[in-house]
Every structure is written in structure tokens, then in C-alpha cells.
Coordinates of all heavy atoms in Angstrom, one line a residue:
A1 N -3.5 40.9 85.7 CA -3.2 41.5 84.4 C -2.0 40.8 83.8 O -1.9 40.5 82.6 CB -2.8 43.0 84.6
L2 N -1.0 40.4 84.6 CA 0.2 39.7 84.1 C -0.2 38.3 83.6 O 0.4 37.8 82.6 CB 1.3 39.6 85.2 CG 2.0 41.0 85.5 CD1 2.9 40.8 86.7 CD2 2.8 41.5 84.3
R3 N -1.1 37.6 84.3 CA -1.5 36.3 83.9 C -2.3 36.3 82.7 O -2.2 35.3 81.9 CB -2.3 35.6 85.0 CG -1.4 35.1 86.2 CD -2.1 34.1 87.0 NE -1.3 33.8 88.2 CZ -0.2 33.0 88.2 NH1 0.1 32.4 87.0 NH2 0.5 32.8 89.2
N4 N -3.1 37.3 82.4 CA -4.0 37.3 81.3 C -3.6 38.1 80.1 O -4.2 38.0 79.1 CB -5.4 37.7 81.8 CG -5.9 36.8 83.0 OD1 -5.8 35.6 82.9 ND2 -6.5 37.4 84.0
G5 N -2.6 39.0 80.3 CA -2.3 39.8 79.2 C -0.9 39.7 78.7 O 0.0 39.3 79.5
T6 N -0.6 40.0 77.5 CA 0.8 40.0 76.9 C 1.0 41.1 76.0 O 0.1 41.6 75.3 CB 1.0 38.6 76.2 OG1 2.3 38.7 75.6 CG2 0.0 38.5 75.0
L7 N 2.2 41.6 76.0 CA 2.7 42.7 75.2 C 3.5 42.2 74.0 O 4.0 43.0 73.2 CB 3.5 43.7 76.0 CG 2.8 44.4 77.1 CD1 3.7 45.4 77.9 CD2 1.5 45.2 76.6
R8 N 3.6 40.9 73.9 CA 4.5 40.3 72.9 C 3.9 40.0 71.5 O 4.5 39.8 70.5 CB 5.1 39.0 73.4 CG 5.9 39.1 74.7 CD 6.5 37.8 75.1 NE 7.2 38.0 76.4 CZ 7.9 37.1 77.0 NH1 8.1 35.9 76.4 NH2 8.4 37.3 78.2
L9 N 2.5 40.1 71.5 CA 1.9 39.8 70.2 C 1.8 41.0 69.3 O 1.8 42.1 69.8 CB 0.4 39.3 70.5 CG 0.4 37.9 71.3 CD1 -1.1 37.6 71.6 CD2 1.0 36.8 70.5
P10 N 1.8 40.9 68.0 CA 1.7 39.6 67.3 C 3.0 38.8 67.3 O 2.9 37.6 67.3 CB 1.3 40.0 65.9 CG 1.8 41.4 65.7 CD 1.7 42.0 67.1
G11 N 4.2 39.4 67.2 CA 5.4 38.7 67.3 C 5.6 37.5 66.4 O 6.1 36.5 66.8
L12 N 5.2 37.6 65.1 CA 5.3 36.5 64.2 C 6.6 36.4 63.4 O 6.8 35.4 62.8 CB 4.1 36.7 63.1 CG 2.7 36.5 63.7 CD1 1.7 36.9 62.6 CD2 2.5 35.0 64.0
F13 N 7.4 37.4 63.4 CA 8.7 37.4 62.7 C 9.7 36.5 63.5 O 10.7 37.0 64.0 CB 9.2 38.8 62.5 CG 10.0 39.0 61.3 CD1 10.4 40.2 60.9 CD2 10.4 37.9 60.4 CE1 11.2 40.4 59.7 CE2 11.1 38.1 59.3 CZ 11.5 39.4 58.9
L14 N 9.3 35.2 63.6 CA 9.9 34.4 64.6 C 11.3 33.9 64.4 O 12.0 33.7 65.4 CB 9.0 33.2 64.8 CG 7.6 33.6 65.4 CD1 6.6 32.5 65.2 CD2 7.8 33.8 66.9
P15 N 11.9 33.8 63.2 CA 13.3 33.4 63.2 C 14.2 34.5 63.8 O 15.3 34.2 64.2 CB 13.5 33.3 61.7 CG 12.2 32.9 61.1 CD 11.2 33.7 61.9
L16 N 13.6 35.7 63.9 CA 14.4 36.8 64.5 C 14.3 36.8 66.0 O 15.3 37.2 66.7 CB 13.9 38.2 64.0 CG 14.6 38.7 62.7 CD1 14.4 37.8 61.6 CD2 14.2 40.1 62.5
I17 N 13.2 36.3 66.6 CA 13.1 36.5 68.1 C 12.9 35.1 68.8 O 12.8 35.1 70.0 CB 11.9 37.4 68.4 CG1 10.6 36.8 67.7 CG2 12.1 38.8 68.0 CD1 9.3 37.7 68.0
S18 N 13.0 34.0 68.1 CA 13.1 32.7 68.7 C 14.5 32.5 69.2 O 15.4 33.0 68.6 CB 12.6 31.6 67.8 OG 11.2 31.8 67.4
A19 N 14.7 31.6 70.1 CA 16.0 31.3 70.6 C 16.3 29.8 70.3 O 15.4 29.0 70.3 CB 16.0 31.5 72.1
T20 N 17.6 29.6 70.0 CA 18.0 28.2 69.7 C 19.0 27.7 70.8 O 19.8 28.5 71.2 CB 18.8 28.2 68.3 OG1 17.8 28.3 67.3 CG2 19.5 26.8 68.2
A21 N 18.7 26.5 71.3 CA 19.6 25.9 72.2 C 20.2 24.7 71.6 O 19.5 23.8 71.1 CB 18.8 25.5 73.5
G22 N 21.6 24.7 71.4 CA 22.2 23.5 70.9 C 22.5 22.5 72.0 O 22.9 22.8 73.1
F23 N 22.2 21.2 71.7 CA 22.4 20.1 72.7 C 23.7 19.5 72.5 O 24.3 19.4 71.4 CB 21.3 19.0 72.5 CG 19.9 19.5 72.8 CD1 18.8 18.7 72.4 CD2 19.6 20.6 73.5 CE1 17.5 19.0 72.6 CE2 18.3 21.0 73.8 CZ 17.3 20.2 73.4
S24 N 24.3 19.1 73.7 CA 25.5 18.3 73.6 C 25.3 17.0 72.9 O 24.2 16.5 72.9 CB 26.0 18.0 75.0 OG 26.3 19.2 75.7
D25 N 26.3 16.5 72.3 CA 26.2 15.2 71.6 C 25.8 14.1 72.6 O 26.4 14.1 73.7 CB 27.4 14.8 70.8 CG 27.7 15.7 69.6 OD1 26.7 16.3 69.1 OD2 28.8 15.9 69.2
D26 N 24.9 13.2 72.2 CA 24.7 12.0 73.0 C 25.9 11.1 73.0 O 26.3 10.8 71.9 CB 23.4 11.3 72.5 CG 23.0 10.2 73.4 OD1 23.8 9.5 73.9 OD2 21.7 10.0 73.5
P27 N 26.5 10.8 74.1 CA 27.7 10.0 74.1 C 27.6 8.6 73.4 O 28.5 8.0 73.0 CB 28.1 9.9 75.5 CG 26.9 10.2 76.3 CD 26.1 11.1 75.5
R28 N 26.4 8.2 73.3 CA 26.1 6.9 72.6 C 26.1 7.0 71.1 O 26.0 6.0 70.4 CB 24.8 6.3 73.1 CG 24.7 6.1 74.6 CD 23.3 5.8 75.1 NE 22.4 6.9 74.9 CZ 21.1 7.0 75.3 NH1 20.6 5.9 75.9 NH2 20.4 8.0 75.1
R29 N 26.2 8.2 70.6 CA 26.2 8.5 69.2 C 25.1 7.9 68.4 O 25.3 7.1 67.4 CB 27.6 8.0 68.6 CG 28.8 8.6 69.2 CD 28.8 10.1 68.9 NE 30.0 10.8 69.5 CZ 30.3 12.1 69.3 NH1 29.5 12.8 68.6 NH2 31.4 12.6 69.9
P30 N 23.8 8.1 68.8 CA 22.7 7.5 68.0 C 22.6 8.3 66.7 O 22.9 9.4 66.6 CB 21.5 7.7 68.9 CG 21.9 9.0 69.7 CD 23.4 8.9 70.0
G31 N 22.0 7.6 65.7 CA 21.7 8.3 64.5 C 20.5 9.2 64.6 O 19.9 9.3 65.7
M32 N 20.1 9.8 63.5 CA 19.0 10.8 63.6 C 17.7 10.2 64.1 O 17.1 10.8 65.0 CB 18.7 11.3 62.2 CG 17.6 12.4 62.1 SD 17.2 12.9 60.4 CE 16.6 11.3 59.7
I33 N 17.3 9.0 63.7 CA 16.0 8.5 64.1 C 16.0 8.2 65.6 O 15.1 8.6 66.4 CB 15.7 7.2 63.3 CG1 15.5 7.6 61.8 CG2 14.4 6.6 63.9 CD1 14.3 8.4 61.5
D34 N 17.1 7.5 66.1 CA 17.1 7.2 67.5 C 17.2 8.4 68.4 O 16.7 8.5 69.5 CB 18.3 6.2 67.8 CG 17.9 4.8 67.5 OD1 16.7 4.5 67.1 OD2 18.8 3.9 67.6
R35 N 18.0 9.4 67.9 CA 18.1 10.7 68.7 C 16.7 11.3 68.7 O 16.3 11.9 69.8 CB 19.1 11.6 68.0 CG 19.4 12.9 68.8 CD 20.4 12.5 69.9 NE 20.6 13.6 70.9 CZ 21.5 14.6 70.8 NH1 22.3 14.6 69.8 NH2 21.6 15.4 71.8
A36 N 16.0 11.3 67.6 CA 14.7 12.0 67.6 C 13.7 11.2 68.6 O 12.9 11.8 69.3 CB 14.1 11.9 66.2
C37 N 13.9 9.9 68.6 CA 13.0 9.1 69.5 C 13.3 9.5 71.0 O 12.3 9.7 71.8 CB 13.3 7.6 69.3 SG 12.6 6.9 67.8
T38 N 14.5 9.6 71.4 CA 14.9 9.9 72.7 C 14.4 11.3 73.1 O 13.9 11.6 74.2 CB 16.4 9.8 73.0 OG1 17.1 10.8 72.2 CG2 16.9 8.4 72.7
L39 N 14.4 12.2 72.1 CA 13.9 13.6 72.4 C 12.4 13.6 72.6 O 11.9 14.2 73.5 CB 14.2 14.5 71.2 CG 15.7 14.8 71.0 CD1 15.9 15.6 69.7 CD2 16.3 15.6 72.1
L40 N 11.7 12.7 71.8 CA 10.2 12.6 71.9 C 9.9 12.1 73.3 O 9.0 12.7 74.0 CB 9.7 11.8 70.8 CG 8.2 11.6 70.7 CD1 7.8 11.4 69.3 CD2 7.7 10.4 71.6
F41 N 10.6 11.1 73.7 CA 10.3 10.5 75.1 C 10.6 11.5 76.2 O 9.9 11.6 77.2 CB 11.0 9.2 75.3 CG 10.3 8.0 74.6 CD1 10.8 7.6 73.3 CD2 9.3 7.3 75.2 CE1 10.2 6.5 72.7 CE2 8.7 6.3 74.6 CZ 9.1 5.8 73.3
A42 N 11.7 12.3 76.0 CA 12.1 13.2 77.0 C 11.1 14.3 77.1 O 10.8 14.8 78.2 CB 13.5 13.8 76.6
V43 N 10.5 14.8 76.0 CA 9.5 15.8 76.1 C 8.2 15.3 76.9 O 7.7 16.0 77.7 CB 9.1 16.4 74.7 CG1 7.9 17.3 74.8 CG2 10.3 17.1 74.1
H44 N 7.8 14.1 76.5 CA 6.6 13.5 77.2 C 6.9 13.4 78.7 O 6.0 13.6 79.5 CB 6.3 12.2 76.6 CG 5.3 12.2 75.5 ND1 4.0 12.3 75.7 CD2 5.5 12.2 74.1 CE1 3.3 12.3 74.6 NE2 4.2 12.3 73.6
S45 N 8.1 13.0 79.0 CA 8.5 12.8 80.4 C 8.5 14.2 81.2 O 7.9 14.3 82.3 CB 9.9 12.2 80.5 OG 10.4 12.3 81.8
L46 N 9.0 15.2 80.5 CA 9.1 16.5 81.2 C 7.6 17.1 81.3 O 7.3 17.7 82.3 CB 9.9 17.5 80.3 CG 10.1 18.9 80.9 CD1 10.7 18.9 82.3 CD2 10.9 19.8 79.9

């Protein structure tokens, strides 16, 4: 029942119930594009 069912739906008012995690600054200080690239590769790796 726990694997197949959820009590969280519909749960669409998402700005209210989503969580934000702020990341520490990359010490290499990349710009927006390079920071985004590293994040993309990190997600694929994880």
C-alpha cells in the first residue's frame, strides 16, 4: 500500500509546498552558463 498509494495528490499549489535548497557558491566562480553545465552533468552522474 505504501509503495503504490499516496495521500499527497493533487498537491498542485506547488510554490507553497515545494522546498528550495540554496547551493554554496562554486569557489571557481563560474558564470551562469558554466554553472548550469556543471549542474546538468552532476544530475546525470547522480
Side-chain angles (χ1 to χ4, degrees):
L2 290 172
R3 284 199 185 279
N4 300 317
T6 177
L7 299 177
R8 301 185 186 184
L9 297 174
L12 289 169
F13 211 171
L14 291 162
L16 269 65
I17 55 178
S18 294
T20 287
F23 292 166
S24 300
D25 289 336
D26 189 319
R28 300 169 295 183
R29 302 292 180 181
M32 178 184 67
I33 296 295
D34 280 356
R35 189 78 191 269
C37 290
T38 63
L39 294 172
L40 185 148
F41 281 98
V43 173
H44 268 279
S45 169
L46 181 59

